[in-house]
Amino acid sequence: MAVYIVLLGPPGAGKGTQAEKISEAYHLTHVSTGDLFRENIRENTELGKKAREYTDNGLLVPDEVTIAMVEDRLKKDDCKNGALLDGFPRTIKQAEALDKMLEESFASKVTVVPCIEVNEEDLVKRISGRRMCKNGHVFHIHTKPSKVEGVCDICGEPLYQRADDNEETVQTRLNAYKESTEKLIDYYGNKDVIRKVDGNQKIDEVTKAMLAVIKAEI
Ligand code: AP5
Ligand code: MG
């Protein structure tokens, strides 16, 4: 059966950072809804035009738009063995839609949901120092600097600061997490697939803990 790992955690917790390592270890395609929206915004597609007013202000993009985008993505050939979902689902409605699509279209279900927990004060520090490239590779000016300033170590693309990585928008994003996404901890807890991971450690330590909880379920 295909493997579907859902990464849960507040903005800045390290979902994208850990996804790079987990997708490599398990040869799973990394599907980040945030990266997909940013790509569409950069290319000025219809989807990008719809998403931008929400992402720039730290608000959740409407469920229908997000669910349809993920369903299309999971049908692509590189997801035939499953996927590593980062930033989706973020609402109960999205979680129910994911269960339904996995069952009906892929005869599968969510395998495990590692949930990265980090103190709120550190989340803000992580977000304000983050730099990333257009391919979604993530750096930090203090905790994970690139070898050459402003250039991605992995693909050589320029690094930039995200439009939503400012103090005001971060608060809105944290609120959206508390109001909508945190409910998924109980949703997946009831299915016994949630596994909490201490994200307050160094990146490599978090990776070890993430790989351990995933290995136990695969
Ligand atoms: P998205 O891009 O998913 O943003 P997010 O959830 O706010 O999460 P982040 O990407 O900010 O954090 P992360 O956990 O990936 O942390 P990272 O690894 O980069 O979504 C953006 C927007 O798109 C949303 O606001 C919404 O508008 C829309 N959207 C997306 N999905 C949606 C959905 N399903 N429904 C509706 N709307 C949706 O790490 C952060 C920084 O910390 C980096 O600099 C990193 O180097 C550093 N770092 C990481 N780990 C550590 C560590 N252990 N120690 C020290 N530093 C660390
Ligand atoms: Mg991310």
Side-chain angles (χ1 to χ4, degrees):
M1 195 158 71
V3 169
Y4 294 93
I5 300 173
V6 170
L7 295 184
L8 205 58
K15 301 181 295 294
T17 301
Q18 297 302 329
E20 286 177 29
K21 321 236 174 178
I22 298 165
S23 61
E24 200 180 295
Y26 283 95
H27 307 289
L28 271 181
T29 298
H30 175 201
V31 175
S32 155
T33 39
D35 287 348
L36 287 173
F37 287 133
R38 282 184 286 277
E39 189 184 320
N40 276 282
I41 290 168
R42 215 167 30 242
E43 288 170 5
N44 209 21
T45 65
E46 284 308 311
L47 175 65
K49 284 180 203 156
K50 264 189 229 162
R52 182 171 200 154
E53 58 180 303
Y54 299 95
T55 59
D56 274 2
N57 294 308
L59 299 168
L60 295 182
V61 177
D63 285 333
E64 309 76 64
V65 176
T66 309
I67 291 165
M69 177 178 79
V70 171
E71 189 155 17
D72 277 355
R73 183 67 190 85
L74 292 181
K75 284 184 175 156
K76 297 214 167 127
D77 203 45
D78 61 352
C79 292
K80 67 176 187 299
N81 296 324
L84 176 60
L85 290 160
D86 159 4
F88 180 90
R90 257 171 154 100
T91 63
I92 296 284
K93 202 169 163 200
Q94 292 180 13
E96 288 171 348
L98 176 64
D99 284 344
K100 190 161 178 266
M101 87 176 78
L102 292 187
E103 193 183 323
E104 291 176 0
S105 306
F106 305 100
S108 197
K109 57 184 183 169
V110 170
T111 313
V112 60
V113 183
C115 176
I116 312 176
E117 298 184 308
V118 177
N119 301 327
E120 190 160 324
E121 204 186 303
D122 287 333
L123 292 175
V124 178
K125 281 191 206 150
R126 287 186 186 186
I127 290 173
S128 54
R130 169 168 51 200
R131 299 291 183 271
M132 63 190 294
C133 75
K134 69 172 194 181
N135 295 318
H137 301 128
V138 187
F139 298 84
H140 189 280
I141 50 170
H142 301 304
T143 58
K144 196 189 170 195
S146 57
K147 289 189 188 107
V148 178
E149 201 186 316
V151 180
C152 177
D153 289 355
I154 300 168
C155 59
E157 291 290 339
L159 298 180
Y160 73 98
Q161 190 162 19
R162 270 169 46 176
D164 58 346
D165 279 355
N166 57 72
E167 227 165 281
E168 204 187 314
T169 311
V170 167
Q171 277 315 320
T172 315
R173 283 158 61 197
L174 285 169
N175 289 341
Y177 181 78
K178 285 181 200 155
E179 278 165 26
S180 304
T181 312
E182 228 169 34
K183 294 192 176 81
L184 298 181
I185 296 178
D186 280 346
Y187 180 87
Y188 286 120
N190 289 334
K191 296 178 185 292
D192 194 27
V193 285
I194 197 102
R195 298 290 177 268
K196 293 192 177 174
V197 171
D198 178 6
N200 297 297
Q201 318 169 75
K202 291 216 164 87
I203 293 176
D204 288 350
E205 296 300 318
V206 181
T207 306
K208 273 190 212 155
M210 300 281 283
L211 291 174
V213 297
I214 293 167
K215 196 176 168 199
E217 304 304 324
I218 289 182

